[in-house]
Amino acid sequence: MGGNFSRDPPSNNVHQRYINTNSISKGTKKINKSKSGYSISRNRNNGNNEEKKLSSSLLSSHFKPDIRVIDGRTYHAVESSSYMLPRDDKEIDRLHEEHFVTKELLGFNIMAEALKALDFQNHELEILDVCCGPATWLCETSLEYPNCHFTGIDMCSLWPQVIRPVNLDFTVANVLQGIPYPDKTFDFIQMRFVVLAFRINEWPFIISEIKRVLKDGGCFQCIDMDMRIITSDTMARKYTEAFESFCASFNLDASTGAKLDMLLTEGENSGMRIIQSEYREVPLGWGGPIGEAYLQILQGILDGLSPWFTQSLNVTDHRSYQMVLNRTKQAFIQSKSIMGLYAFLVQKPYND
């Protein structure tokens, strides 16, 4: 789990169980492991002791859970990832809402300079969405540009499993282990809302991998939040300080959105050139529907983080946690608190 950092939540009052969705078939009660070639039936007629011993041995040595359930919410169980938000229907709804509210605030799915640099309407562009989640952006843009081919990549398959546009495909992969495509594969790449996905030391590798699979002259669009909340309220300030400390304890940087320009253009990525940037102040619970929606989105994030974040707020149970969050939300509204939303478009140089 990356040095001294652990994604395991505090043990007090937290109930969790691990599930391997790829190896357990609920309907047939059969456990399959394709790599080892084993097929173990739990049929009563074959329930001898040797089979039970073999089954137990296989489960303990070969099968690793890919999800875990904590206090009724489903989370991934990828040990190398610091990402702590759930992977259930409630989280999918939150991500859908985040897409549409962000589109309304920014006014685009694809930044204007990218549409000038690349012909989305007429050319068969290859487009990649890194950490695509439920693929809301992909489903919308792939219908808008039917000549292009779209690919989503994520370690969790939250995307539509049956009905989706014909020019859209998905790959399950952990990008911390590299993007599984050859050099210079994609004309346009997007990544957004990953502040809580990558540790500080992981960002250079992620950006370098994106640069590697991006074609010369291709564009990379990166959108994210500066999750440090600007507020004049004392109580709200205590919350935001606790949140920043919480992030730092997992080697995450809550202010990553404000540093994207440096991450995208310095060090190994020094050849990348910013061709468009956008900034929006995001009201939290005030100023109209967008502010109300963003506060709800933030509430969803904090609900998902509750197994870990409770300690940072010095509370021990879910009810007390919700009471603290509700008081903090009211403080955000009354003090007209804001967060910053940053969008950058960089272009990879030709003959790179």
Side-chain angles (χ1 to χ4, degrees), residues 37 57 84 107 143 194 199 202 245 259 261 281 342 345-346:
S57 174
M84 288 172 278
L143 290 172
V194 290
R199 302 178 183 93
E202 292 168 343
S245 297
K259 302 174 181 177
D261 54 343
E281 288 187 349
Y342 293 81
L345 182 72
V346 294

Side-chain angles (χ1 to χ4, degrees), residues 66-67 73-76 83 85-96 131-136 138-139 152-164 170-173:
D66 55 8
I67 65 172
R73 300 294 303 273
T74 304
Y75 297 81
H76 77 79
Y83 195 65
L85 289 175
R87 49 164 295 177
D88 53 19
D89 288 344
K90 188 175 181 180
E91 174 65 5
I92 288 173
D93 288 343
R94 187 194 70 79
L95 291 168
H96 285 325
C131 301
C132 66
T136 326
L138 282 168
C139 289
I153 183 171
D154 204 304
M155 66 180 181
C156 300
S157 55
L158 303 183
W159 47 72
Q161 299 298 312
V162 179
I163 301 175
R164 60 181 186 238
F170 298 99
T171 297
V172 177

